[in-house]
Amino acid sequence: MPPLHDLTALEQGELVRRGDVTPLDLVEHYLERADTVGAFVTSTPEQARAHARRLRDGGRPEGAGPLWGVPTAIKDLHPTAGVRTTFGSAAYDGFVPDESDDLVLTVEAAGMPSLGKTNTPEFGSPCYTEPDVAPPAVTPWDPRRTAGGSSGGAAAAVAAGLVPVAPGSDGGGSIRIPASCCGLVGLKPTRGRISGAPRYGDPVGLATPGPLARTVRDAAALLDVLAGRRVGDPSWAPPPLDSFLAACDRDPGRLRVARFITPVITDSEVEPVVRTAWDEASALLAGLGHDVVDIDVPLPREAVATFEVCWVVLTAMAEVPEGREHEIRPLTRWLSEKGRAVSAPEFGLAIGQLRRYAADALASLAPYDLVLTPTLATLPPLVGDLRDDEDPAADFEAQKRFTPWTSAWNVTGMPAVSLPLHWTPDGLPVGVMLAARPAEEELLLSVSAQVEAAAPWDGRHPPGW
């Protein structure tokens, strides 16, 4: 048998189900693996062992899911009771919450021991993960290069075999960006698919948790764990017909796939290797019997300024402990100052306008089952290349040029997935992105599994592993 960390999360869960390994065996195996990619801010070995022992000693409960007993880790934006939670900020370097948020409780209830808190940039804002509280998160395929952000630590952990699967969160691409950088499947679900309880901290509706995994089926299984409505949720998506994992085994049928490569939010130069990946994905989909057609960008460039009004206000909403404001990063300070300069009526009008832009985009895309774009405009940059503490405005513009497509589907609320369908000759991943109509994750997972099965990439490692 290959090493445990080389198995998929579902394969590891099956070993636990059969009694070939215990949850504690898996926890101990992963705790022995060194973090050389900046994946973790805080490790919790004793808590993970204690959770695994409870699972082992209590036995497998009736109705346990296929990931029961499989370890994971929690992004450091999620408050976790009794565990240091920094939100990626030096201003919170010693903060230990008394209560866990809903995602943490959901993962624990599913029988998935957490090995710690994964690395994230300050308050999850940048698309690179270089906080003051931890080393930079890097892609294991070239440790000089960023793992992306803001779920960079989670992606680096999964790609480096430090955990089998992990939740991230995505308000403008923060799951799909690191998935592309690290050669993973990264799924941003439909708005409302996963509860925002108990804080409901995003009044715009841009952000949602979602899975990062090495295979489509692993991502679907984690989505089954995370998804669900909670009492008090302001909005929610309808439940799947069966399970998201089961959707991976369905024939998606013949689909209409719209595609475009023109950057949405800024004028970016698209690297030739990115265009090649997009063209190859188009050919792969056509070869599977789908109709692939070119369309215009469904969102006007005017939507960008409206999105940015909402983004800076959301950044300004991050609470900073009194007396520690000086520890906030220059980019966060710059965005927060811009956000505090927005009046309440301006913010309300921006939310309304953003929803109208989203409605128009959804109407224009309604004839199509899927939309295909690149995930990122370039290969993963070197650590530090996007960050500019001396000029936060230049930093922000560099991030936009790197990620000119991902935030469009946060605006519309559509589910979107980055798939590692292309690899450069020197082993760097290039993600491509598929989006579906709202609440159609099952279709998105079905065709993603179909593409995964037909691609040179085997769902575990790049070609030539």
Side-chain angles (χ1 to χ4, degrees):
M1 186 176 72
L4 289 172
H5 62 268
D6 209 26
L7 301 175
T8 69
L10 285 167
E11 288 169 341
Q12 293 176 48
E14 178 61 15
L15 290 179
V16 174
R17 188 192 68 80
R18 296 201 315 245
D20 295 338
V21 300
T22 69
L24 185 58
D25 292 332
L26 288 177
V27 165
E28 294 291 2
H29 176 83
Y30 281 104
L31 289 176
E32 290 176 358
R33 295 182 58 75
D35 178 6
T36 61
V37 291
F40 285 90
V41 178
T42 303
S43 296
T44 56
E46 292 312 312
Q47 291 96 323
R49 290 186 177 107
H51 190 183
R53 290 190 190 99
R54 291 195 300 272
L55 297 175
R56 180 197 62 188
D57 298 343
R60 186 183 186 89
E62 184 177 353
L67 296 182
W68 188 88
V70 175
T72 189
I74 302 297
K75 187 175 178 180
D76 206 28
L77 295 183
H78 293 280
T80 306
V83 176
R84 176 178 177 243
T85 300
T86 72
F87 309 108
S89 176
Y92 281 93
D93 62 354
F95 177 61
V96 179
D98 295 325
E99 297 180 342
S100 297
D101 76 0
D102 188 76
L103 181 138
V104 175
L105 297 175
T106 297
V107 168
E108 290 176 353
M112 301 182 71
S114 171
L115 303 183
K117 306 302 291 292
T118 56
N119 203 354
T120 187
E122 190 164 65
F123 306 136
S125 179
C127 67
Y128 54 83
T129 302
E130 301 173 22
D132 291 336
V133 293
V138 297
T139 175
W141 308 111
D142 182 350
R144 301 172 303 161
R145 297 176 183 265
T146 181
S150 65
S151 304
V158 175
L162 305 180
V163 292
V165 69
S169 58
D170 190 317
S174 289
I175 288 171
R176 293 157 290 154
I177 294 163
S180 183
C181 291
C182 293
L184 300 176
V185 177
L187 174 63
K188 180 199 81 70
T190 295
R191 181 177 297 140
R193 173 66 68 195
I194 298 172
S195 176
R199 294 176 62 87
Y200 303 111
D202 177 6
V204 184
L206 297 175
T208 177
L212 283 152
R214 284 187 291 158
T215 71
V216 173
R217 290 175 62 83
D218 280 358
L222 185 55
L223 183 59
D224 280 322
V225 168
L226 300 175
R229 175 185 175 186
R230 303 292 183 267
V231 174
D233 285 358
S235 61
W236 55 88
L241 295 175
D242 184 355
S243 69
F244 294 112
L245 180 57
C248 297
D249 296 324
R250 296 181 204 147
D251 183 345
R254 184 170 181 170
L255 305 176
R256 295 197 72 203
V257 182
R259 73 169 198 163
F260 66 91
I261 197 170
T262 303
V264 179
I265 66 171
T266 192
D267 294 323
S268 295
E269 184 173 341
V270 181
E271 283 191 3
V273 68
V274 171
R275 182 175 289 274
T276 297
W278 177 74
D279 280 332
E280 288 180 352
S282 302
L284 180 57
L285 287 162
L288 291 168
H290 304 301
D291 297 319
V292 181
V293 297
D294 291 299
I295 65 167
D296 294 328
V297 176
L299 280 167
R301 188 59 63 85
E302 292 78 20
V304 177
T306 306
F307 175 87
E308 290 180 4
V309 169
C310 295
W311 190 260
V312 298
V313 172
L314 291 173
T315 304
M317 288 169 56
E319 299 178 29
V320 181
E322 186 175 355
R324 305 197 68 172
E325 294 84 0
H326 63 284
E327 297 179 73
I328 297 301
R329 295 280 290 271
L331 176 66
T332 306
R333 185 176 299 111
W334 179 77
L335 290 169
S336 296
E337 288 171 354
K338 290 175 70 70
R340 284 190 289 270
V342 176
S343 70
E346 287 172 333
F347 183 43
L349 289 169
I351 294 174
Q353 183 60 58
L354 203 63
R355 290 175 179 166
R356 288 188 289 276
Y357 284 134
D360 290 344
L362 290 167
S364 70
L365 295 173
Y368 307 102
D369 300 295
L370 298 171
V371 187
L372 171 69
T373 70
T375 306
L376 300 171
T378 71
L379 294 173
L382 297 175
V383 170
D385 274 7
L386 296 176
R387 176 178 170 179
D388 190 339
D389 290 349
E390 299 302 317
D391 188 349
D395 181 318
F396 192 63
E397 290 302 314
Q399 294 184 61
K400 288 164 60 178
R401 289 192 297 272
F402 179 47
T403 65
W405 298 283
T406 53
S407 59
W409 310 137
N410 298 87
V411 171
T412 62
M414 296 160 61
V417 63
S418 182
L419 300 172
L421 296 183
H422 185 87
W423 296 77
T424 66
D426 53 352
L428 283 175
V430 184
V432 296
M433 186 164 56
L434 286 170
R437 299 183 188 97
E440 292 193 2
E441 284 94 336
E442 291 171 272
L443 178 67
L444 185 60
L445 287 163
S446 174
V447 75
S448 295
Q450 181 190 51
V451 166
E452 179 181 76
W457 157 68
D458 70 357
R460 298 169 185 263
H461 309 302
W465 171 271

